[in-house]
Short mmCIF file of all heavy atoms in Angstrom, two decimals:
data_model
loop_
_atom_site.label_atom_id
_atom_site.label_comp_id
_atom_site.label_asym_id
_atom_site.label_seq_id
_atom_site.Cartn_x
_atom_site.Cartn_y
_atom_site.Cartn_z
N GLU A 335 8.64 12.58 19.62
CA GLU A 335 7.25 12.37 19.19
C GLU A 335 7.05 10.95 18.68
O GLU A 335 6.06 10.28 19.00
CB GLU A 335 6.88 13.37 18.09
CG GLU A 335 6.72 14.80 18.55
CD GLU A 335 5.41 15.00 19.31
OE1 GLU A 335 4.56 14.09 19.31
OE2 GLU A 335 5.24 16.07 19.91
N LEU A 336 8.01 10.47 17.91
CA LEU A 336 7.91 9.13 17.32
C LEU A 336 7.95 8.06 18.40
O LEU A 336 7.20 7.07 18.35
CB LEU A 336 9.04 8.94 16.31
CG LEU A 336 8.98 7.70 15.41
CD1 LEU A 336 7.66 7.64 14.65
CD2 LEU A 336 10.17 7.72 14.44
N ALA A 337 8.81 8.26 19.40
CA ALA A 337 8.87 7.30 20.51
C ALA A 337 7.57 7.28 21.29
O ALA A 337 7.10 6.22 21.74
CB ALA A 337 10.05 7.64 21.42
N ARG A 338 6.97 8.45 21.44
CA ARG A 338 5.68 8.52 22.14
C ARG A 338 4.60 7.78 21.35
O ARG A 338 3.74 7.11 21.94
CB ARG A 338 5.28 9.99 22.33
CG ARG A 338 3.94 10.20 23.03
CD ARG A 338 3.60 11.68 23.13
NE ARG A 338 3.48 12.31 21.82
CZ ARG A 338 2.40 12.21 21.03
NH1 ARG A 338 1.35 11.49 21.41
NH2 ARG A 338 2.37 12.81 19.86
N LEU A 339 4.66 7.87 20.04
CA LEU A 339 3.63 7.24 19.20
C LEU A 339 3.82 5.73 19.09
O LEU A 339 2.83 4.98 18.99
CB LEU A 339 3.67 7.85 17.79
CG LEU A 339 3.17 9.29 17.64
CD1 LEU A 339 3.59 9.86 16.29
CD2 LEU A 339 1.65 9.33 17.77
N THR A 340 5.05 5.26 19.10
CA THR A 340 5.32 3.85 18.79
C THR A 340 5.86 3.03 19.94
O THR A 340 5.69 1.80 19.95
CB THR A 340 6.33 3.75 17.64
OG1 THR A 340 7.60 4.28 18.08
CG2 THR A 340 5.86 4.52 16.42
N ASP A 341 6.54 3.68 20.90
CA ASP A 341 7.21 2.96 21.99
C ASP A 341 8.12 1.87 21.43
O ASP A 341 8.19 0.75 21.95
CB ASP A 341 6.19 2.36 22.95
CG ASP A 341 6.85 1.88 24.25
OD1 ASP A 341 7.87 2.48 24.65
OD2 ASP A 341 6.35 0.90 24.85
N SER A 342 8.81 2.20 20.33
CA SER A 342 9.65 1.22 19.63
C SER A 342 11.10 1.32 20.09
O SER A 342 11.67 2.41 20.12
CB SER A 342 9.57 1.46 18.12
OG SER A 342 10.60 0.79 17.44
N PRO A 343 11.73 0.18 20.42
CA PRO A 343 13.15 0.21 20.78
C PRO A 343 14.04 0.65 19.63
O PRO A 343 15.08 1.27 19.84
CB PRO A 343 13.45 -1.23 21.20
CG PRO A 343 12.37 -2.06 20.58
CD PRO A 343 11.17 -1.19 20.52
N VAL A 344 13.62 0.35 18.39
CA VAL A 344 14.40 0.78 17.23
C VAL A 344 14.37 2.30 17.12
O VAL A 344 15.38 2.94 16.80
CB VAL A 344 13.86 0.14 15.94
CG1 VAL A 344 14.58 0.69 14.71
CG2 VAL A 344 14.01 -1.38 16.00
N VAL A 345 13.22 2.91 17.40
CA VAL A 345 13.12 4.37 17.39
C VAL A 345 14.03 4.97 18.45
O VAL A 345 14.75 5.95 18.21
CB VAL A 345 11.66 4.81 17.62
CG1 VAL A 345 11.58 6.32 17.89
CG2 VAL A 345 10.80 4.44 16.42
N ARG A 346 14.06 4.37 19.64
CA ARG A 346 14.91 4.89 20.71
C ARG A 346 16.39 4.73 20.37
O ARG A 346 17.23 5.57 20.74
CB ARG A 346 14.58 4.21 22.04
CG ARG A 346 13.19 4.59 22.56
CD ARG A 346 13.07 4.26 24.05
NE ARG A 346 13.08 2.83 24.30
CZ ARG A 346 12.00 2.05 24.26
NH1 ARG A 346 10.81 2.57 23.95
NH2 ARG A 346 12.08 0.76 24.51
N LEU A 347 16.71 3.67 19.63
CA LEU A 347 18.10 3.48 19.18
C LEU A 347 18.49 4.59 18.21
O LEU A 347 19.58 5.19 18.34
CB LEU A 347 18.23 2.12 18.51
CG LEU A 347 19.62 1.76 17.95
CD1 LEU A 347 20.63 1.63 19.08
CD2 LEU A 347 19.55 0.47 17.14
N ASN A 348 17.63 4.88 17.25
CA ASN A 348 17.91 5.96 16.30
C ASN A 348 17.94 7.32 17.00
O ASN A 348 18.70 8.21 16.61
CB ASN A 348 16.87 5.95 15.19
CG ASN A 348 17.00 4.74 14.28
OD1 ASN A 348 18.09 4.19 14.11
ND2 ASN A 348 15.89 4.30 13.71
N ARG A 349 17.09 7.46 18.01
CA ARG A 349 17.08 8.71 18.77
C ARG A 349 18.43 8.92 19.46
O ARG A 349 18.92 10.07 19.55
CB ARG A 349 15.96 8.68 19.80
CG ARG A 349 15.90 9.92 20.69
CD ARG A 349 14.85 9.79 21.79
NE ARG A 349 14.86 10.97 22.66
CZ ARG A 349 15.71 11.14 23.67
NH1 ARG A 349 16.63 10.20 23.94
NH2 ARG A 349 15.66 12.24 24.41
N ALA A 350 19.04 7.84 19.93
CA ALA A 350 20.34 7.97 20.61
C ALA A 350 21.39 8.54 19.67
O ALA A 350 22.24 9.35 20.09
CB ALA A 350 20.78 6.61 21.14
N VAL A 351 21.33 8.16 18.40
CA VAL A 351 22.27 8.73 17.42
C VAL A 351 22.04 10.23 17.29
O VAL A 351 22.99 11.02 17.29
CB VAL A 351 22.10 8.03 16.05
CG1 VAL A 351 23.00 8.70 15.01
CG2 VAL A 351 22.40 6.55 16.16
N ALA A 352 20.77 10.61 17.18
CA ALA A 352 20.44 12.04 17.05
C ALA A 352 20.87 12.82 18.29
O ALA A 352 21.39 13.94 18.19
CB ALA A 352 18.94 12.20 16.80
N VAL A 353 20.64 12.24 19.45
CA VAL A 353 21.07 12.90 20.70
C VAL A 353 22.59 13.07 20.70
O VAL A 353 23.13 14.12 21.11
CB VAL A 353 20.62 12.09 21.93
CG1 VAL A 353 21.28 12.61 23.20
CG2 VAL A 353 19.10 12.14 22.06
N GLY A 354 23.31 12.03 20.22
CA GLY A 354 24.76 12.12 20.14
C GLY A 354 25.23 13.23 19.23
O GLY A 354 26.27 13.86 19.49
N GLU A 355 24.48 13.50 18.17
CA GLU A 355 24.85 14.59 17.27
C GLU A 355 24.45 15.94 17.85
O GLU A 355 25.17 16.93 17.69
CB GLU A 355 24.15 14.39 15.91
CG GLU A 355 24.53 13.11 15.18
CD GLU A 355 25.97 13.14 14.67
OE1 GLU A 355 26.60 14.22 14.70
OE2 GLU A 355 26.47 12.08 14.25
N ALA A 356 23.33 16.00 18.54
CA ALA A 356 22.83 17.29 19.08
C ALA A 356 23.55 17.69 20.35
O ALA A 356 23.88 18.87 20.54
CB ALA A 356 21.32 17.20 19.32
N ASP A 357 23.79 16.73 21.26
CA ASP A 357 24.30 17.05 22.60
C ASP A 357 25.65 16.43 22.90
O ASP A 357 26.15 16.56 24.02
CB ASP A 357 23.29 16.60 23.66
CG ASP A 357 21.93 17.25 23.48
OD1 ASP A 357 21.91 18.42 23.05
OD2 ASP A 357 20.91 16.59 23.75
N GLY A 358 26.22 15.74 21.95
CA GLY A 358 27.53 15.14 22.17
C GLY A 358 27.45 13.63 22.32
O GLY A 358 26.41 13.09 22.72
N PRO A 359 28.55 12.92 21.97
CA PRO A 359 28.53 11.45 21.96
C PRO A 359 28.22 10.82 23.32
O PRO A 359 27.59 9.76 23.39
CB PRO A 359 29.92 11.07 21.47
CG PRO A 359 30.76 12.28 21.71
CD PRO A 359 29.85 13.44 21.55
N ARG A 360 28.67 11.45 24.42
CA ARG A 360 28.41 10.85 25.73
C ARG A 360 26.91 10.90 26.07
O ARG A 360 26.38 9.98 26.69
CB ARG A 360 29.24 11.54 26.81
CG ARG A 360 30.72 11.29 26.60
CD ARG A 360 31.57 11.68 27.77
NE ARG A 360 32.97 11.39 27.50
CZ ARG A 360 33.95 11.56 28.36
NH1 ARG A 360 33.69 12.05 29.58
NH2 ARG A 360 35.20 11.27 28.04
N ALA A 361 26.25 11.97 25.63
CA ALA A 361 24.79 12.03 25.81
C ALA A 361 24.12 10.94 24.97
O ALA A 361 23.13 10.33 25.40
CB ALA A 361 24.27 13.40 25.40
N GLY A 362 24.67 10.69 23.80
CA GLY A 362 24.14 9.61 22.97
C GLY A 362 24.32 8.26 23.61
O GLY A 362 23.41 7.42 23.61
N LEU A 363 25.50 8.01 24.18
CA LEU A 363 25.74 6.74 24.87
C LEU A 363 24.81 6.60 26.07
O LEU A 363 24.32 5.49 26.35
CB LEU A 363 27.21 6.66 25.31
CG LEU A 363 28.22 6.45 24.17
CD1 LEU A 363 29.64 6.67 24.68
CD2 LEU A 363 28.08 5.05 23.59
N ALA A 364 24.56 7.69 26.77
CA ALA A 364 23.65 7.64 27.91
C ALA A 364 22.23 7.29 27.45
O ALA A 364 21.49 6.60 28.16
CB ALA A 364 23.65 8.98 28.65
N ALA A 365 21.86 7.76 26.25
CA ALA A 365 20.52 7.46 25.73
C ALA A 365 20.36 6.00 25.35
O ALA A 365 19.24 5.50 25.21
CB ALA A 365 20.24 8.35 24.51
N LEU A 366 21.49 5.29 25.20
CA LEU A 366 21.43 3.86 24.87
C LEU A 366 21.15 3.00 26.10
O LEU A 366 20.75 1.84 25.97
CB LEU A 366 22.75 3.41 24.25
CG LEU A 366 23.06 3.86 22.83
CD1 LEU A 366 24.44 3.40 22.41
CD2 LEU A 366 22.01 3.34 21.85
N VAL A 367 21.36 3.56 27.29
CA VAL A 367 21.18 2.78 28.52
C VAL A 367 19.74 2.26 28.61
O VAL A 367 18.79 3.01 28.41
CB VAL A 367 21.52 3.64 29.76
CG1 VAL A 367 21.20 2.87 31.04
CG2 VAL A 367 22.99 4.04 29.73
N GLY A 368 19.62 0.99 28.90
CA GLY A 368 18.29 0.39 29.02
C GLY A 368 17.80 -0.27 27.75
O GLY A 368 16.82 -1.03 27.78
N LEU A 369 18.47 -0.02 26.62
CA LEU A 369 18.07 -0.68 25.37
C LEU A 369 18.73 -2.04 25.27
O LEU A 369 19.88 -2.24 25.70
CB LEU A 369 18.47 0.18 24.17
CG LEU A 369 17.68 1.47 23.95
CD1 LEU A 369 18.21 2.22 22.74
CD2 LEU A 369 16.20 1.18 23.77
N ASP A 370 18.02 -2.99 24.67
CA ASP A 370 18.53 -4.35 24.50
C ASP A 370 19.72 -4.33 23.54
O ASP A 370 19.61 -3.89 22.39
CB ASP A 370 17.41 -5.24 23.95
CG ASP A 370 17.79 -6.70 23.89
OD1 ASP A 370 18.98 -7.02 24.07
OD2 ASP A 370 16.89 -7.53 23.65
N ALA A 371 20.85 -4.83 23.99
CA ALA A 371 22.06 -4.82 23.17
C ALA A 371 21.96 -5.73 21.96
O ALA A 371 22.79 -5.63 21.04
CB ALA A 371 23.27 -5.21 24.02
#
Side-chain angles (χ1 to χ4, degrees):
E335 288 285 350
L336 190 55
R338 179 182 61 80
L339 289 166
T340 65
D341 193 30
S342 165
V344 174
V345 169
R346 292 197 292 274
L347 179 66
N348 291 331
R349 178 185 177 277
V351 176
V353 169
E355 298 291 349
D357 301 326
R360 294 193 179 183
L363 288 168
L366 288 176
V367 174
L369 289 178
D370 187 349

